[in-house]
Amino acid sequence: MNILPQVSAFLSQHPIPNLIDGRDVSSPNVKPVFNPADASILTHVTWGGEKEIDLAADAAKRAFPVWASMPVAERAALLHRWADAMEKNAFALAQIETLDVGKAISASEAFDIPFGIEGLRYFANLSVNASYDTPLALRHIEARVHRSPFGVCGFIFPWNFPFDLLMWGVTPALAAGNTVVVKPSEVTPLSTLFAAKLALEAGIPPGVINVVVGNGPGAGAALTAHPAIRRMSFTGSPEAGAIVGEACGRRIIPCKLELGGKGAAVVFADADVEAAGTKLAAAITLNTGQVCCTATRWIVQESIYDQFVESARAALQATKIGIGLDRETQMGPLVSETQRERVLSYYERGIANGARPVLAAAKSLEPGYFVHPWLLEGDPDNVCFREEIFGPAAFLTKFRDESAAIEMIHSVDYGLANSVWTSDLAKANRFAEDMLVGNTWINAHNVFAYGLPYGGINRSGMGGGVNSPATFYDYLRDHTIARPL
């Protein structure tokens, strides 16, 4: 596939600057961004730290009064204009996302970019119809709850779905009247920088959206600690999330944490075994397994275990691995060499811990960061059953009855997303209700729609989810107003 001229022009900047207060801001601190498909340098970006975060937070603070006081319909119209601009540039955004993350262009074009833009329109429309005042029926008191934006909101995003996570995160905050400072992953910052420039061109006022690229200990820590930040959102690992949560706790500001997962797929004997094997294979190859909610613990009833394994193994072996810009590619590379070594090290650790290989792991298509999908089987005390791997891998184990399956699921303290596979819907719903988890899907995995709440519990997160009306109201603070009668 040929690279679009506007993508080439964007990547040819040396370096690509940060966007602060509507201006391009560069500095001597320049870092490369690598192409996961061949390990080459895609481009260079400006890195920021405490100084740039300070500039961005101050710009967002200055922009807040005008943005917050703007009539809701006018603010929503500007957000729709931003959506229009991104739709006009959707193919460019898809190429940038694919080049940066490594994912298949078919996924970027068909899901990532359109679904993210749909989220912007969803929250813009929701803001127009939202309730900003709720009367309270009290004796001898005239009272209401008034809802107002917090102010400046900070966002730290990971590298697996840069564009969608940006849209899921900042658009409800913006629609509610807040201004934002965004620190995208330094590994995959490109679609965020491109989209932020489109927002400015679409008429979003300077300072409403600010983007600073940098690492966690530098820019991330400075953002979390900045006194202008009134609400914080972090998406990433539980370990980093705990650091962000602790910092917000010291400042006593609300914090939304969307963290990792170790999804369980429970396959009962009465399930459509072939379909379950094929769909779960597709789940772990989606975005090369770099999906926090994907199913990486396959808990399969004994009587259909061998049939299920053959179905999943056949589907994985047939998966077309290749560079993301090849339209025949179904699974691209991992995002970095560091991530590839992590995924392969888990395979070795799992075997050392007593697991048996069902489908062997191996590097592929070097010098890119490719790896073959792999499967291990064994006991639920194995490291690969218990820890998040974040690659195209799953761990299989057998169960005899429902109580044994529930015990296996709850032996791990993650609580993001599980799935139940059975033809008995009454059993599926009963079993789903028994699981300690934020989301359960029936006869499917990775189910997303605007209006369908999504969020984790336990080690998988706290502070609200994404993609629903509750997400929008998360970015409005309650203010009680009362008058005795």
Side-chain angles (χ1 to χ4, degrees):
M1 174 187 289
N2 294 326
I3 303 299
L4 293 169
Q6 66 191 116
V7 174
S8 296
F10 173 71
L11 296 177
S12 66
Q13 300 175 83
H14 189 81
I16 298 175
N18 290 310
L19 183 68
I20 299 174
D21 202 15
R23 297 179 293 109
D24 292 339
V25 178
S26 296
S27 77
N29 193 5
V30 174
K31 300 288 185 181
V33 176
F34 293 95
N35 184 344
D38 59 11
S40 65
I41 294 176
L42 264 177
T43 188
H44 292 80
V45 294
T46 299
W47 263 29
E50 185 175 353
K51 175 184 175 183
E52 288 75 17
I53 290 294
D54 192 49
L55 291 172
D58 286 348
K61 185 177 180 179
R62 289 193 303 272
F64 171 68
V66 174
W67 183 249
S69 62
M70 186 180 293
V72 174
E74 184 178 337
R75 195 165 59 225
L78 286 174
L79 294 175
H80 274 289
R81 284 174 57 186
W82 185 22
D84 292 341
M86 289 194 291
E87 284 181 342
K88 183 179 179 180
N89 292 274
F91 289 117
L93 275 165
Q95 283 195 353
I96 290 168
E97 194 82 337
T98 285
L99 287 167
D100 204 8
V101 184
K103 63 182 65 186
I105 188 67
S106 58
S108 294
E109 289 180 347
F111 176 77
D112 292 54
I113 304 308
F115 195 64
I117 296 171
E118 182 187 348
L120 175 53
R121 295 198 188 280
Y122 172 79
F123 285 112
N125 291 337
L126 189 62
S127 70
V128 175
N129 298 301
S131 172
Y132 297 93
D133 282 280
T134 301
L136 302 175
L138 303 172
R139 271 186 86 184
H140 307 310
I141 300 175
E142 178 186 81
R144 61 192 167 100
V145 174
H146 179 68
R147 297 178 180 88
S148 303
F150 283 88
V152 183
C153 297
F155 293 87
I156 298 175
F157 294 117
W159 43 257
N160 56 335
F161 286 94
F163 182 74
D164 277 347
L165 292 173
L166 174 72
M167 293 294 104
W168 295 0
V170 305
T171 60
L174 293 169
N178 302 280
T179 55
V180 303
V181 179
V182 178
K183 192 206 85 65
S185 167
E186 65 273 26
V187 179
T188 58
L190 301 182
S191 60
T192 298
L193 290 164
F194 191 84
K197 289 290 284 187
L198 291 177
L200 195 65
E201 294 169 10
I204 304 293
V208 171
I209 301 172
N210 305 273
V211 180
V212 177
V213 180
N215 63 13
L223 177 60
T224 305
H226 199 283
I229 301 300
R230 289 291 177 258
R231 202 185 200 293
M232 193 69 207
S233 175
F234 172 85
T235 307
S237 71
E239 294 76 16
I243 295 171
V244 172
E246 181 180 357
C248 291
R250 287 196 298 268
R251 293 190 51 230
I252 317 179
I253 63 168
C255 180
K256 180 193 291 284
L257 299 175
E258 300 288 338
L259 307 179
K262 191 65 183 173
V266 181
V267 185
F268 284 95
D270 60 355
D272 184 333
V273 179
E274 294 296 323
T278 300
K279 290 178 180 178
L280 287 171
I284 66 166
T285 55
L286 173 69
N287 205 38
T288 319
Q290 299 164 127
V291 183
C292 56
C293 60
T294 202
T296 58
R297 293 184 290 160
W298 294 354
I299 302 170
V300 184
Q301 200 149 27
E302 292 174 336
S303 61
I304 48 97
Y305 181 83
D306 291 341
Q307 182 187 356
F308 172 84
V309 168
E310 287 309 308
S311 173
R313 179 162 46 197
L316 291 171
Q317 289 173 327
T319 300
K320 175 69 166 62
I321 302 173
I323 64 171
L325 291 180
D326 184 343
R327 291 201 175 278
E328 295 184 359
T329 292
Q330 295 172 294
M331 189 183 90
L334 291 159
V335 74
S336 66
E337 181 61 22
T338 299
Q339 187 62 17
R340 180 166 72 167
E341 291 304 319
R342 169 189 167 90
V343 170
L344 292 173
S345 73
Y346 265 105
Y347 179 80
E348 298 300 331
R349 289 171 63 193
I351 290 177
N353 200 206
R356 299 171 296 279
V358 174
L359 194 59
K363 293 183 178 181
S364 177
L365 301 178
E366 295 190 291
Y369 312 134
F370 294 89
V371 64
H372 284 294
W374 55 265
L375 299 173
L376 294 177
E377 64 180 1
D379 298 326
D381 60 354
N382 191 279
V383 64
C384 290
F385 183 91
R386 306 190 66 80
E387 296 184 13
E388 186 174 33
I389 298 168
F390 226 58
F395 190 92
L396 295 104
T397 193
K398 302 174 184 178
F399 77 93
R400 181 171 298 174
D401 55 35
E402 291 185 30
S403 61
I406 284 288
E407 184 177 351
M408 290 181 197
I409 292 166
H410 293 164
S411 69
V412 174
D413 198 31
Y414 286 103
L416 187 52
N418 296 338
S419 56
V420 182
W421 302 76
T422 174
S423 59
D424 184 340
L425 294 183
K427 177 169 66 178
N429 281 282
R430 182 187 70 247
F431 192 83
E433 291 171 4
D434 287 342
M435 289 192 285
L436 301 177
V437 68
N439 311 273
T440 297
W441 300 311
I442 296 173
N443 294 331
H445 206 93
N446 297 327
V447 180
F448 293 93
Y450 293 106
L452 182 67
Y454 170 83
I457 63 170
N458 299 337
R459 192 170 166 79
S460 292
M462 58 169 281
V466 297
N467 295 353
S468 74
T471 314
F472 174 78
Y473 288 108
D474 276 347
Y475 289 98
L476 293 168
R477 59 179 180 84
D478 287 351
H479 177 185
T480 300
I481 300 172
R483 179 177 69 90
L485 298 176

